[in-house]
Amino acid sequence: MLAIALVQLAEYQYFETLERQGNERLELYASTVQSAKQRFDYLPFIATRDQDVINLLKGENQASQVNHKLASWQLESGAAALYLMNREGSVLASSNWASQESFVGKNYHFRPYFKDAIAGREGQFFAVGASTGRPGLFLSRPIEVGQQTIGVAVIKIDMKQLEIDWASGGELVLVTDSDGVIFLSSQEAWKYKSITPVPQAILKRFVTEKKYGNNRVSPLNVLTQKRSPQGHKMLELSSPGSSHARPENYLMHKRLLPELNWTLYYLTDLKGLVEKRRYALLISGLITILLALIGFIVVNQIRSRHTLESRVAKRTKALNETNRRLLEEIDSRKVAEERLHQTHEELIQAEKLAALGQMSAGIVHEINQPLSAMQTFIASTRILFERNDKQGATENLEDIASMIRRVTKIVGHLKGFAGKSKGQTTAVDVFKVIDNALLLLGPRLNKPGLTLNIKKPNHPIYVTADEIKLEQIIINLIRNGLDAMQELPVTEVHKLSVWVEVDFDKTHILVSDTGNGITPENLPKVFDPFFTTKAIGDGLGLGLSVSYGIAKEFGGDLAVIDQAGPGTLFKLSLNHKDRVSNGQQ
C-alpha cells in the first residue's frame, strides 16, 4: 500500500512538471509557426495590386517585366517562390522563370489554393511541390478587376528551417494538417505519417491534389495509448525509421492553430517516469524494511526480557563491557561520518570556487571592452544630440544596441554554469572579428606616433570559433602590444601589425608589436595564470592565460614566436572553415 501511494504521488508530480513544460514549449513553437506564415502574408496582396501584373493577365503586357519583378520580390523577402496564374490555372509569370524548375507554363488548376482564390477567397495549402518535389506552404489571393477574378497570385513558403531548429534543439515537435497527416516534424521518419488511420476517400483526394507527391501516407506505429492524470495522451511508439528498435513512451501535448487549420504537437520522452517509479519503490521498500526491523527488535526484546532478568547478575559485567565498546564504536563512527561530511563539503566548495574563478576571469575580460565602448558611444551621442546631429546620434545608438546584444550574449554564458555546457563553434569571419576588436580599441589606437598595419585579403577567411571569444583573444593580444609599446620613449618606433596566413587546414592570426619584448626567462611563464610583468594594479595576469584556454577550446593554439627584430609576435592558430550556404536549393 505504501509503494502504491508513493508511486502514484511521484507519477502525479512528474506529470505536473511535464504539463507545465509542455505548455511552455507549445506556446513558443506555436508563435514560431504562425510568424513563419505571417511574415509573407503581404506578398500576394502586393502582387494583386500591381498594375504590371493586371496588364499581363489582361493580355496588355509582356511576361518578361513581371518575371523580373516577381524575382526581385522573392529574393528580397526570402520566400521559396512567387508566381502568377490565369483563370485556367496556367502559370504566366514566376520568380523562378530563369531556372530549370521554372513554373512558367505549368498548370496547377487541381490545387485547392487555386480553387479557393479563383472563387474569390484567400487560399492556403501545404503540399509537396508538383514541379520541384520540395514541400512548402502555398498562400494565394484572387486578382480582381471590377467584380471579375482574372487571375491568382501565389507565394510558396519553405518551412524547412523550423524542422532544422526543432531537431537541433533535441525536441520532438510535429504539425498535422486538418486530416491528421504530419507534414512538419523534427523527426524526418515521422513526416507524412498520420496520427490516426486516414480514410481511403481522403487518401484518394491527396492523390488528386498531388498534396504529398509520391510520399505514401500511413499511420504512425502506435502500439498503445493511455491517459496521464492531467488527461494528456501517452503513446507507445516504435522508434522512427526502425522496426526492430525498442519502443519508446511519449507524453503528447497538442495545441490547435485556428488561423492555419493545423494542430501542433509536442512529445515528451517518458524515460524519466521509470526512474521516478523506481525511486518511489526503493523508498517504500526501505521504509518497509525499517518498520520490519523495528518490529523485530520490539518483539525480540519482549521475548528476551524474562531470560535476561534471570541472567542479569551473571551478565551485568559482560553487558557493561559490551555497552562501553559499543559506545566507543558509535562515537568513533560519528567522528568519522562528521569528518567525511566536512571533507565532502570542502571538496564541493573548492570545485565551485575553481569554476567560479575561471568563469569570472573570462566574463571580466569579455564584458570589459564592450562596456567601455558603450560608455564612449553614450558620451559621443550626448555631444551629437547637442550638435543636433540626429543621423550621427542614431548611428551611435545602433552601435550601442549592438554592444548591448554582445554583452547580453556574454552574460548568457553564465546560464550554463549550473549545467552541462552547450557552447558551439561556427564559421567566423576573421576580419569581421578583427574590425570589431579595432572598433573597441579605437581610443587607444588613435594616438600620435602609433602606426597600425592591418593586412586584409580581397576575400573573407573563416575559422572554426566562437565570434565573441575569438574577439576577446584579438583584443587581449592587441592590448598587450599597446601596453608593451607604451613603455617605450616617444622617439622609438611604435608599430602594431595584424595579418593572417592560411595553410592547408589552419588559419594563423599574427599580432606583432615593436615593444621591449619578453625576456627568455619569462617565456615559459607567459601563459600561466596571474603571471604579469606590469606594475601592481595594472593587470591580474589573466589575459594571455584566458586567451590560451579559449584557443585550446577551439581546437587551436596560441604561441609566442621568436623573431629577429625587437618586440613580440603572437601566433594564434585555428582550424580553417569553408563557409557553407544554407540558402534555397
Side-chain angles (χ1 to χ4, degrees):
M1 291 174 63
L2 178 63
I4 293 173
L6 288 177
V7 168
Q8 290 179 344
L9 177 61
E11 288 182 352
Y12 185 83
Q13 293 176 342
Y14 180 72
F15 282 114
E16 280 283 334
T17 302
L18 292 187
E19 181 181 20
R20 183 178 65 257
Q21 294 174 350
N23 290 334
E24 292 173 355
R25 293 292 197 280
L26 284 176
E27 184 68 25
L28 171 64
Y29 294 134
S31 63
T32 57
V33 172
Q34 291 169 341
S35 63
K37 180 250 183 185
Q38 291 170 353
R39 62 185 288 238
F40 296 100
D41 272 344
Y42 71 95
L43 272 178
F45 176 79
I46 292 177
T48 63
R49 297 297 186 269
D50 187 81
Q51 191 60 44
D52 291 334
V53 170
I54 295 174
N55 290 340
L56 175 62
L57 291 171
K58 293 168 64 177
E60 300 174 359
N61 194 5
Q62 296 295 323
S64 175
Q65 183 177 358
V66 178
N67 281 332
H68 285 87
K69 181 173 290 188
L70 294 179
S72 65
W73 290 348
Q74 177 268 329
L75 181 63
E76 183 175 355
S77 67
L82 180 63
Y83 52 100
L84 184 66
M85 306 168 69
N86 62 15
R87 286 186 56 82
E88 288 73 35
S90 296
V91 179
L92 301 183
S94 175
S95 62
N96 62 357
W97 61 276
S99 70
Q100 294 181 352
E101 298 176 344
S102 173
F103 296 164
V104 177
K106 303 292 179 63
N107 190 292
Y108 302 121
H109 70 280
F110 53 87
R111 291 294 202 186
Y113 64 79
F114 171 76
K115 296 177 181 179
D116 288 341
I118 208 67
R121 302 184 300 270
E122 295 182 15
Q124 65 178 35
F125 184 65
F126 190 96
V128 174
S131 299
T132 65
R134 292 190 290 270
L137 175 61
F138 296 83
L139 305 178
S140 63
R141 279 181 179 262
I143 303 175
E144 300 175 341
V145 175
Q147 300 297 323
Q148 182 183 6
T149 300
I150 64 173
V152 175
V154 185
I155 184 173
K156 180 181 179 182
I157 306 170
D158 186 358
M159 306 188 82
K160 183 66 178 177
Q161 189 60 42
L162 288 177
E163 298 177 315
I164 295 174
D165 294 340
W166 296 341
S168 64
E171 301 281 15
L172 293 175
V173 186
L174 52 94
V175 180
T176 64
D177 59 15
S178 58
D179 298 311
V181 178
I182 301 169
F183 60 88
L184 290 177
S185 175
S186 59
Q187 292 285 350
E188 186 67 24
W190 287 358
K191 289 181 67 173
Y192 311 120
K193 304 288 185 182
S194 61
I195 301 295
T196 58
V198 179
Q200 286 297 322
I202 296 179
L203 292 177
K204 290 180 180 179
R205 172 163 58 81
F206 290 165
V207 175
T208 302
E209 297 171 348
K210 298 182 182 179
K211 185 172 185 179
Y212 296 118
N214 297 324
N215 296 291
R216 180 175 175 269
V217 177
S218 60
L220 281 175
N221 189 12
V222 180
L223 303 180
T224 60
Q225 293 190 35
K226 299 179 182 179
R227 290 283 179 178
S228 72
Q230 290 73 26
H232 296 294
K233 279 187 179 181
M234 293 190 298
L235 305 180
E236 184 180 12
L237 300 175
S238 58
S239 297
S242 174
S243 58
H244 303 290
R246 184 176 180 181
E248 300 289 348
N249 291 295
Y250 301 97
L251 180 65
M252 175 181 286
H253 304 265
K254 74 174 183 177
R255 176 172 178 174
L256 298 178
L257 303 176
E259 180 183 350
L260 297 166
N261 199 19
W262 295 346
T263 304
L264 174 67
Y265 293 89
Y266 174 73
L267 303 183
T268 305
D269 197 327
L270 293 179
K271 291 180 180 178
L273 181 59
V274 177
E275 185 177 357
K276 293 289 184 181
R277 289 171 175 167
R278 186 181 297 118
Y279 285 154
L281 290 174
L282 177 61
I283 293 173
S284 63
L286 292 175
I287 294 175
T288 303
I289 292 173
L290 179 61
L291 292 175
L293 288 175
I294 293 174
F296 175 77
I297 292 173
V298 171
V299 172
N300 188 62
Q301 286 180 345
I302 293 174
R303 291 179 177 178
S304 302
R305 181 174 300 171
H306 298 292
T307 305
L308 289 174
E309 288 177 353
S310 62
R311 302 170 60 186
V312 66
K314 185 189 296 184
R315 299 292 301 273
T316 297
K317 185 177 181 179
L319 288 174
N320 288 337
E321 182 64 23
T322 302
N323 288 336
R324 184 184 62 80
R325 289 197 302 267
L326 286 174
L327 290 174
E328 290 177 353
E329 185 177 351
I330 291 172
D331 291 339
S332 63
R333 289 188 179 184
K334 286 183 178 179
V335 172
E337 289 177 358
E338 182 63 28
R339 289 177 180 174
L340 179 62
H341 178 73
Q342 183 178 358
T343 303
H344 182 64
E345 291 297 323
E346 290 175 354
L347 287 174
I348 292 176
Q349 186 65 19
E351 184 179 7
K352 182 183 292 185
L353 289 175
L356 284 174
Q358 284 186 326
M359 184 66 72
S360 62
I363 293 301
V364 167
H365 280 73
E366 291 189 35
I367 291 182
N368 183 55
Q369 297 303 324
L371 290 178
S372 299
M374 280 190 282
Q375 186 176 6
T376 301
F377 279 124
I378 290 171
S380 173
T381 303
R382 291 194 183 102
I383 296 174
L384 291 173
F385 271 122
E386 292 174 358
R387 295 176 180 176
N388 201 23
D389 187 353
K390 295 183 179 180
Q391 181 178 357
T394 302
E395 292 175 356
N396 275 7
L397 290 176
E398 291 175 354
D399 289 332
I400 292 171
S402 176
M403 294 297 175
I404 292 174
R405 287 193 295 270
R406 290 175 53 203
V407 172
T408 302
K409 183 176 180 182
I410 295 170
V411 175
H413 298 329
L414 291 175
K415 295 181 179 179
F417 179 73
K420 187 177 179 181
S421 175
K422 295 182 180 179
Q424 295 180 347
T425 57
T426 58
V428 177
D429 187 344
V430 171
F431 282 95
K432 178 183 177 183
V433 174
I434 293 176
D435 288 340
N436 289 338
L438 295 176
L439 176 64
L440 296 178
L441 294 170
R444 293 199 63 185
L445 296 174
N446 296 327
K447 289 186 176 182
L450 174 63
T451 301
L452 184 62
N453 183 20
I454 307 297
K455 300 177 182 178
K456 292 186 177 181
N458 296 326
H459 56 86
I461 298 177
Y462 295 93
V463 296
T464 302
D466 178 278
E467 183 174 345
I468 298 297
K469 291 184 178 180
L470 177 57
E471 182 177 327
Q472 187 60 38
I473 297 178
I474 303 301
I475 289 174
N476 285 336
L477 297 180
I478 295 176
R479 286 184 60 199
N480 280 342
L482 295 174
D483 291 341
M485 291 186 292
Q486 189 174 359
E487 302 174 358
L488 297 176
V490 178
T491 56
E492 295 289 337
V493 176
H494 294 69
K495 182 178 181 181
L496 180 71
S497 301
V498 181
W499 70 97
V500 175
E501 297 177 357
V502 179
D503 288 342
F504 178 72
D505 60 347
K506 291 286 186 181
T507 296
H508 308 289
I509 304 173
L510 298 102
V511 179
S512 71
D513 61 73
T514 56
N516 292 325
I518 301 173
T519 60
E521 61 270 18
N522 287 334
L523 277 175
K525 300 180 288 184
V526 165
F527 299 112
D528 290 347
F530 302 106
F531 173 77
T532 179
T533 58
K534 300 177 183 178
I536 296 176
D538 289 342
L540 297 175
L542 289 173
L544 290 178
S545 175
V546 170
S547 300
Y548 182 82
I550 295 174
K552 290 296 184 180
E553 178 185 340
F554 295 159
D557 191 27
L558 179 61
V560 183
I561 306 301
D562 291 333
Q563 57 179 359
T568 305
L569 173 61
F570 284 95
K571 182 178 182 181
L572 174 62
S573 302
L574 299 171
N575 293 324
H576 186 71
K577 181 74 173 180
D578 293 327
R579 191 178 188 188
V580 178
S581 175
N582 290 325
Q584 177 69 24
Q585 298 296 321

